[in-house]
Amino acid sequence: MQKTKILLVEDDPNLGQLLKEYLDIKGFETTLCRDGEEGWRTFDKFYFDFCIFDVMLPKLDGFGLAEKVRAKDKQTPILFLTAKSLKEDTIHGLQIGADDYMTKPFRMEELLLRMQAILRRTTRHETETTANEPLQIGKFTFDYHTQKLILDTQEQKLTSKEAELLKMLCLQKNQVLDRSQTLKKIWGDDSYFNSRSMDVYITKLRKFLKADENLQIINVHGQGFKLIELK
């Protein structure tokens, strides 16, 4: 099972290292950055499931970092850490799009519980959609867990990347699937090589789905792909 990827941006070297070690022990994959600019470069390059930002960061503060993240990604949860307990700061952080806010000092156990609660909320839709039942895509039945695409009595076995890509297209059917975010989630980064690799997988999925003329995976220029089902 793939580990939940955490981006931790904390300039206090002791607290940052303690948090990273604690989260890694708890089963997360944690990337630690020391300032807001480094945090933004890292977020922009790789995929993360959860962000923890200190508010008082050098070069770019946590609020500014969160604003840049939210301009690019509306979904990834953000939790702020701050030494301040001002109501105005709390409100400002939530207005930017943060999911929660913790005042230092805090207990590691409480941080973990809050993270787990946020992750349950934000992943519930995907979990419910793909939990046990196969998905219906036009004339096809797609079983993500066995990685099979079924049409009548014919079964097409998919690779792990094909299954993951098709699942993401299905979950956002008739909506644009962002190329960069998809590359980061499935391939780990959005390099040119991986981008060309994803194009090959999209071509394979189109070939698999062509038996249903009402299903199409279309290119959305400059954005990504869209799985559409014609009525």
Side-chain angles (χ1 to χ4, degrees):
M1 186 174 178
Q2 199 173 42
K3 290 184 177 181
T4 300
K5 298 180 187 296
I6 308 293
L7 175 61
L8 170 63
V9 188
E10 170 59 67
D11 65 320
D12 182 317
N14 294 325
L15 178 58
Q17 194 59 40
L18 281 172
L19 281 171
K20 174 176 167 49
E21 290 175 3
Y22 176 78
L23 293 171
D24 287 346
I25 288 170
K26 293 299 180 181
F28 297 101
E29 183 179 321
T30 313
T31 299
L32 174 61
C33 298
R34 302 296 189 183
D35 63 66
E37 288 184 359
E38 182 190 2
W40 167 244
R41 289 193 301 270
T42 304
F43 181 88
D44 192 41
K45 186 175 181 181
F46 301 104
Y47 174 83
F48 293 96
D49 300 292
F50 198 98
C51 294
I52 303 173
F53 298 156
D54 185 26
V55 171
M56 302 299 289
L57 292 169
K59 297 185 180 179
L60 177 67
D61 69 20
F63 292 145
L65 174 57
E67 286 175 338
K68 290 174 76 71
V69 167
R70 279 290 171 260
K72 180 173 182 134
D73 181 334
K74 307 297 184 189
Q75 306 300 323
T76 303
I78 298 173
L79 185 148
F80 279 124
L81 305 177
T82 180
K84 298 180 178 180
S85 57
L86 294 177
K87 182 179 179 181
E88 292 78 8
D89 279 345
T90 305
I91 292 171
H92 183 49
L94 296 173
Q95 286 174 334
I96 289 171
D99 295 85
D100 207 345
Y101 203 102
M102 292 190 69
T103 303
K104 300 175 184 177
F106 54 85
R107 294 173 62 228
M108 297 285 193
E109 294 81 2
E110 182 183 355
L111 172 65
L112 180 62
L113 288 171
R114 291 201 189 194
M115 289 174 61
Q116 290 170 338
I118 294 168
L119 286 166
R120 279 197 300 271
R121 290 200 305 269
T122 55
T123 58
R124 184 176 298 137
H125 173 70
E126 182 171 335
T127 302
E128 289 175 350
T129 307
T130 61
N132 295 308
E133 315 125 16
L135 296 169
Q136 199 64 39
I137 322 168
K139 297 176 183 177
F140 290 92
T141 299
F142 171 43
D143 191 329
Y144 170 71
H145 295 284
T146 62
Q147 297 179 193
K148 289 180 180 178
L149 189 61
I150 304 161
L151 178 62
D152 299 325
T153 58
Q154 294 183 319
E155 292 185 357
Q156 174 66 53
K157 180 68 175 175
L158 304 178
T159 66
S160 296
K161 281 190 170 64
E162 288 166 354
E164 194 68 32
L165 185 54
L166 183 56
K167 182 186 79 169
M168 292 182 71
L169 285 164
C170 290
L171 290 175
Q172 292 191 224
K173 189 170 70 171
N174 297 321
Q175 301 176 55
V176 176
L177 184 66
D178 182 83
R179 172 186 280 271
S180 178
Q181 289 300 311
T182 303
L183 281 166
K184 290 173 185 176
K185 184 164 187 177
I186 299 178
W187 275 266
D189 65 61
D190 58 354
S191 67
Y192 175 82
F193 176 80
N194 286 336
S195 184
R196 298 284 71 79
S197 176
M198 184 166 76
D199 289 338
V200 171
Y201 280 91
I202 288 288
T203 299
K204 288 182 179 179
L205 290 178
R206 284 180 175 138
K207 183 179 178 181
F208 297 152
L209 296 174
K210 71 177 183 179
D212 186 344
E213 64 279 3
N214 290 320
L215 288 176
Q216 292 182 26
I217 301 174
I218 63 172
N219 292 335
V220 181
H221 182 68
Q223 298 181 53
F225 303 96
K226 183 188 289 188
L227 173 64
I228 59 173
E229 185 173 352
L230 303 173
K231 303 299 183 184

